[in-house]
Amino acid sequence: MPRYVVDEAALVRNLEILQDVSKRAGVRILLAQKAFSCTAVYPLCAKYLAGTTASSLFEAIHAKRHFPGEVHVFNPAFAAEEIDEVLATVDHIVLNSMRQVSLYAAKAHEKGVSVGLRVNPEVSVTTTPAYDACRPGSRFGVTRDALDAAGGLPGVVEGLHFHALCEQGVEEFRKVLAGFEAHFGDLVPALKWVNFGGGHHITRADYDVDGLVETLRSFQGRHPGVQIYLEPGEAIALNAGTLESRVLEMQPKGADGITNVILDVSAACHMPDVLEMPYTPPMLGAEKGAGGPYVYRFGGPTCLAGDEIGTYSFNRPLHDGDAVVFGDMAIYTMVKNNTFNGINLPDIVLRHADGREELLRRFSYDDFASRL
Ligand SMILES: *Cc1c(COP(=O)(O)O)cnc(C)c1O
C-alpha cells in the first residue's frame, strides 16, 4: 500500500523559520490551506503561525474547526448562496473586484469581518504563465486604473492584498513590492493591514531569510502602524513529506534503451503537479535524468500514456517489489489527488518527531464510490 508520510520534525524546522521571521519582522504568517491541509498537524502549526487562509467556504470551515487562530479567505468571486456562511466563519475576507466590494463589503463590515481588496501590482516575476497572477488579462486583482475608474477605495476596505509570487525569493518579492507601492502606496496610510500573499519560498535552503526580514521592516518604516500578513502554503510543508511506493513491474528494455517501471503510485492521481506544473520530483537514492548506469522511466498504473513521473538513474539495478520514495510530497498532493481510473489513494501517515508512525487515514472502495 503506497503512503504519504508527513515528517513532523521537518515540519517543525520549517515552522521555526517562519516563526522567527514573524517575530523579527513583526508580521503575521498564515497557512495557505490549499497547499497543505493535514488536519492532524493543525494544532502543531497553530503554535507557530497566526492562522490560516482559505480559498473557499469549505477550507474556511476546516480552519475554523481545527486551526486555532485567524481565518482569512480569498475567492475571485464569492457565490451569493455561500456568502453568509463565509462571513460567519472568517475574520478577514479579501475581495477580488469592485463589484464584489459593492455586493459584500458592507455586509462583511457589519458582521465584524475585516474587508480587504486584492490588487494587481502589475509586475510579472513568474516565468510559468499558469502561476503568474499578473499575466496580461489576469482575472486576479484590481489595477490602480480600475480602482480609480470605480471612484477609489471605499472607506469600508481596511486592507490590500496581492499574490504574485510562486516558489520565489526575496529579489522577486522586492520587485513586486516596489510595483505595489508605486501603484498603491498612497493608500496604505489609511489601511489597517496589507497582505503580501504566498509564493515566498522562505524555508528553502538557499532562501535569504535576513533579506526578507529587512525588506518587511523597511516597508514598516515607510508605513508605520500597518499590520503585514504573509500567507505562504508551500513554505510551511516544503520537503516535509515523502510518497512511498513500490515497483509493481519492470518491463523489458524498450527500443530507446530505457526500462519502463510501473509503480503503484500515479502522477495523474497522486502527484498531479508533476503533470500540471510540470516538474520531476526528487527520488531518494536516485538522480534525475539518464546520466547513471541504470536508467528507468517511471509511470503510474493508469491508462494515461502521459502518466509518467520521470526518468531517473540508479547506481544499482531495480527489481520487482523494490521500494521507490519520492521527496517533497507533503504539499499540493493530499489536497489535490484523485481516484481517476479507480486507483485508490495512498495512506496518510504522520511520522512523529520521535520516529513513531501514526496511520492517519486509509482509503477504500467506499471513498471512491461515495463521490460518484
Ligand atoms: C496559492 C496561494 C497562496 C499560497 O501560495 P504558495 O505558492 O503555496 O506559497 C497564497 N495566497 C493566495 C491568494 C494563493 O492563491
Side-chain angles (χ1 to χ4, degrees):
M1 183 68 99
R3 26 183 243 163
Y4 298 108
V5 181
V6 176
D7 182 342
E8 186 183 71
L11 188 61
V12 167
R13 280 197 293 280
N14 289 346
L15 291 165
E16 282 173 346
I17 293 168
L18 296 167
Q19 187 180 47
D20 172 62
V21 169
S22 58
K23 283 188 176 155
R24 282 159 66 201
V27 303
R28 294 191 190 156
I29 301 185
L30 310 170
L31 161 68
Q33 293 176 94
K34 73 162 194 237
F36 180 70
S37 306
C38 187
T39 324
V41 295
Y42 272 20
L44 173 71
C45 293
K47 289 185 192 163
Y48 298 85
L49 304 173
T52 55
T53 187
S55 309
S56 61
L57 172 62
F58 288 175
E59 280 189 355
I61 292 173
H62 199 59
K64 177 98 170 170
R65 286 193 185 162
H66 298 288
F67 197 115
E70 298 176 30
V71 181
H72 296 226
V73 69
F74 164 79
N75 189 277
F78 287 94
E81 67 271 23
E82 288 187 350
I83 194 69
D84 287 336
E85 201 176 353
V86 168
L87 294 177
T89 308
V90 305
D91 309 291
H92 290 228
I93 187 167
V94 176
L95 301 170
N96 190 49
S97 70
M98 297 312 283
R99 180 170 175 273
Q100 293 276 301
V101 168
S102 64
L103 285 174
Y104 303 131
K107 191 176 208 181
H109 190 69
E110 264 166 43
K111 304 213 159 157
V113 175
S114 186
V115 178
L117 177 68
R118 180 162 176 174
V119 295
N120 185 331
E122 297 182 76
V123 181
S124 278
V125 289
T126 306
T127 44
T128 312
Y131 295 92
D132 181 7
C134 297
R135 67 193 198 170
S138 169
R139 69 187 187 286
F140 295 113
V142 177
T143 61
R144 184 59 197 251
D145 284 349
L147 180 62
D148 290 341
L153 200 64
V156 69
V157 175
E158 298 180 335
L160 290 182
H161 171 289
F162 68 77
H163 170 73
L165 302 175
C166 179
E167 301 188 336
Q168 277 158 323
V170 177
E171 215 177 293
E172 290 92 351
F173 172 47
R174 286 190 182 129
K175 284 184 196 159
V176 176
L177 188 60
F180 169 74
E181 288 190 77
H183 291 300
F184 302 98
D186 60 308
L187 304 174
V188 175
L191 301 175
K192 287 193 176 151
W193 52 270
V194 288
N195 184 325
F196 297 153
H200 308 266
H201 232 194
I202 302 169
T203 52
R204 194 176 65 204
D206 62 351
Y207 187 91
D208 179 9
V209 174
D210 291 337
L212 175 66
V213 170
E214 188 215 293
T215 304
L216 295 168
R217 290 181 70 124
S218 88
F219 180 90
Q220 284 163 330
R222 294 189 295 282
H223 306 282
V226 175
Q227 177 64 52
I228 300 175
Y229 288 94
L230 302 178
E231 50 180 28
E234 283 216 11
I236 279 116
L238 190 64
N239 293 314
T242 52
L243 176 54
E244 299 181 354
S245 69
R246 234 159 238 295
V247 174
L248 294 177
E249 184 148 302
M250 312 277 302
Q251 294 189 337
K253 201 174 269 194
D256 61 357
I258 298 179
T259 300
N260 280 323
V261 178
I262 314 290
L263 295 177
D264 62 359
V265 296
S266 155
C269 298
H270 306 141
M271 33 186 150
D273 273 0
V274 165
L275 304 183
E276 272 184 41
M277 269 204 104
Y279 81 108
T280 305
M283 185 191 287
L284 274 59
E287 299 292 326
K288 292 180 203 177
Y294 298 94
V295 179
Y296 303 107
R297 184 192 297 112
F298 291 85
T302 68
C303 69
L304 178 70
D307 189 2
E308 280 182 0
I309 301 153
T311 299
Y312 298 82
S313 302
F314 288 71
N315 289 324
R316 57 174 179 87
L318 264 190
H319 302 287
D320 295 335
D322 278 359
V324 168
V325 180
F326 295 96
D328 197 19
M329 281 290 151
I331 47 177
Y332 292 104
T333 50
M334 292 165 272
V335 290
K336 236 182 142 169
N337 57 18
N338 63 77
T339 56
F340 180 50
N341 276 222
I343 305 294
N344 197 10
L345 299 173
D347 286 351
I348 300 178
V349 172
L350 176 60
R351 182 178 296 127
H352 289 274
D354 62 7
R356 185 172 50 91
E357 289 187 351
E358 181 186 352
L359 177 65
L360 299 176
R361 187 76 161 82
R362 172 158 290 169
F363 299 90
S364 69
Y365 167 74
D366 289 340
D367 295 294
F368 164 69
S370 67
R371 294 199 306 155
L372 302 171

